[in-house]
């Protein structure tokens, strides 16, 4: 790809592994100045080393901060007061029966998955409008459209991200600033891979057999019939970050492997 991202600065939250790392990796490869974020310096340094190894000429920096709270967002903004591209990827998930989800979990999921993006967008959007160019992308999920019964609180946050992205896009009419959400399907991220390994071991089956059964019984509408690779989602996100995507605004773009049974 040649996405013409030279001289663009991109902050990708939660980008030391999984989809976030894949996004940071492809944006760096495409010439953007990428800011990698994770909660620990060790994780950030490891991610930076991997990107630099693959793309020695890439311009990458990192910030160790928990963006799931106000203090972490303030720290990130103080170090990087202006960005051209903001990818709100930070997120947590946890399967749990609705009756067993306490108030604290609802508040924690909303704080991390939703408010991290709200706070950073609120800070960076005015500068994008002033410069008349910018990209904000919320990494949502097919779970924001088809709420999973096994984690209603997670689905709620993903729906909220879609609504926020659309609302922010409405404020950008007539500018070269776009705000979109990308709905990822079941993806082989670090957390999912670990979760699958644990469940497969408990059920005394291989990870491959567990994956087949998952898509047979839990996500039968998937057309891909396997977990999406992080780099497959990242490719779609990278395009939305590029100048070539100027006509895509206020949209919930699906990279879901066909899980959502709708043509539009």
């Amino acid at each position: 790809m040649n996405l013409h991202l030279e001289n663009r600065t991109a902050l990708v939250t939660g980008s030391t592994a999984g989809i976030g790392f894949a996004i940071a990796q492809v944006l760096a490869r495409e010439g953007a100045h990428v800011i990698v974020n994770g909660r620990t310096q060790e994780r950030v340094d490891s991610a930076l080393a991997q990107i630099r190894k693959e793309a020695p000429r890439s311009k990458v920096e990192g910030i160790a901060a928990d963006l799931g709270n106000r203090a972490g967002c303030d720290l990130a903004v103080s170090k990087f007061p202006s960005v051209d591209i903001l990818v709100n990827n930070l997120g947590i998930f946890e399967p749990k029966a609705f009756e067993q989800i306490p108030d604290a979990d609802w508040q924690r999921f909303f704080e991390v998955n939703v408010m991290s993006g709200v706070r950073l967008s609120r800070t960076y959007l005015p500068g994008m409008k002033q410069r008349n160019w910018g990209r904000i992308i919320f990494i949502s999920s097919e779970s924001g459209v088809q709420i999973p019964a096994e984690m209603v609180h997670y689905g709620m946050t993903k729906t909220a991200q879609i609504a926020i992205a659309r609302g922010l896009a409405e404020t950008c009419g007539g500018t070269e600033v776009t705000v979109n959400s990308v709905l990822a399907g079941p993806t082989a991220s670090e957390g999912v891979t670990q979760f699958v390994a644990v469940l497969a071991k408990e059920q005394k089956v291989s990870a491959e057999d567990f994956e087949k059964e998952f898509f047979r019984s839990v996500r039968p509408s998937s057309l891909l019939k396997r977990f999406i690779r992080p780099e497959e989602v990242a490719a779609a996100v990278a395009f939305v970050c590029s100048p070539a995507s100027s006509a895509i605004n206020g949209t919930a773009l699906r990279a879901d492997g066909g899980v959502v049974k709708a043509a539009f």
Side-chain angles (χ1 to χ4, degrees):
M1 290 187 289
N2 185 357
L3 300 179
H4 303 289
L5 292 175
E6 298 82 3
N7 302 317
R8 304 293 189 189
T9 299
L11 169 59
V12 185
T13 68
S15 50
T16 58
I19 292 174
F21 175 75
I23 294 169
Q25 196 172 38
V26 70
L27 292 181
R29 192 187 306 134
E30 291 294 324
H33 169 201
V34 177
I35 303 160
V36 171
N37 160 250
R39 284 181 293 180
T40 68
Q41 193 63 51
E42 182 181 9
R43 298 267 293 181
V44 170
D45 289 344
S46 176
L48 291 175
Q50 291 179 68
I51 293 173
R52 288 169 179 152
K53 182 178 180 180
E54 188 216 37
R57 294 184 180 181
S58 62
K59 187 176 181 182
V60 289
E61 294 183 77
I63 179 165
D66 182 357
L67 302 183
N69 59 60
R70 182 183 296 276
C73 289
D74 289 345
L75 177 62
V77 169
S78 67
K79 186 173 181 180
F80 301 104
S82 176
V83 301
D84 302 299
I85 298 167
L86 171 63
V87 181
N88 292 308
N89 171 74
L90 178 65
I92 56 176
F93 78 97
E94 178 189 32
K96 184 178 286 189
F98 173 77
E99 294 84 356
Q100 298 173 8
I101 306 173
D103 286 3
D105 281 7
W106 284 95
Q107 292 162 356
R108 178 170 61 94
F109 269 67
F110 194 81
E111 186 77 4
V112 175
N113 293 4
V114 180
M115 289 307 298
S116 58
V118 166
R119 291 181 177 120
L120 293 173
S121 299
R122 185 169 57 204
T123 298
Y124 291 125
L125 184 57
M128 293 179 185
K129 289 179 178 178
Q130 186 177 30
R131 295 187 299 275
N132 197 36
W133 199 92
R135 299 286 185 266
I136 297 178
I137 297 98
F138 286 80
I139 305 303
S140 182
S141 166
E142 51 89 13
S143 294
V145 178
Q146 298 180 157
I147 310 298
E150 69 273 15
M151 43 185 182
V152 177
H153 53 339
Y154 172 77
M156 173 273 298
T157 64
K158 296 290 122 176
T159 304
Q161 288 180 315
I162 297 169
I164 292 164
R166 177 66 203 191
L168 293 185
E170 292 285 347
T171 75
C172 299
T175 75
E176 292 299 318
V177 179
T178 67
V179 187
N180 295 285
S181 54
V182 172
L183 279 58
T187 304
S189 63
E190 182 182 51
V192 169
T193 301
Q194 292 173 349
F195 182 68
V196 166
V198 170
L199 291 182
K201 186 176 180 180
E202 289 178 354
Q203 297 177 20
K204 298 181 179 180
V205 297
S206 67
E208 292 76 13
D209 287 343
F210 181 90
E211 181 176 10
K212 289 178 182 178
E213 178 58 25
F214 177 85
F215 285 98
R216 188 192 69 79
S217 60
V218 182
R219 293 291 187 274
S221 61
S222 170
L223 302 178
L224 201 59
K225 302 300 181 185
R226 62 167 172 81
F227 286 110
I228 301 166
R229 296 188 295 272
E231 57 268 27
E232 292 174 315
V233 178
V237 175
F239 176 75
V240 179
C241 290
S242 75
S245 70
S246 56
I248 301 173
N249 197 7
T251 297
L253 190 71
R254 283 162 42 200
D256 66 336
V259 168
V260 178
K261 296 188 74 171
F264 54 88

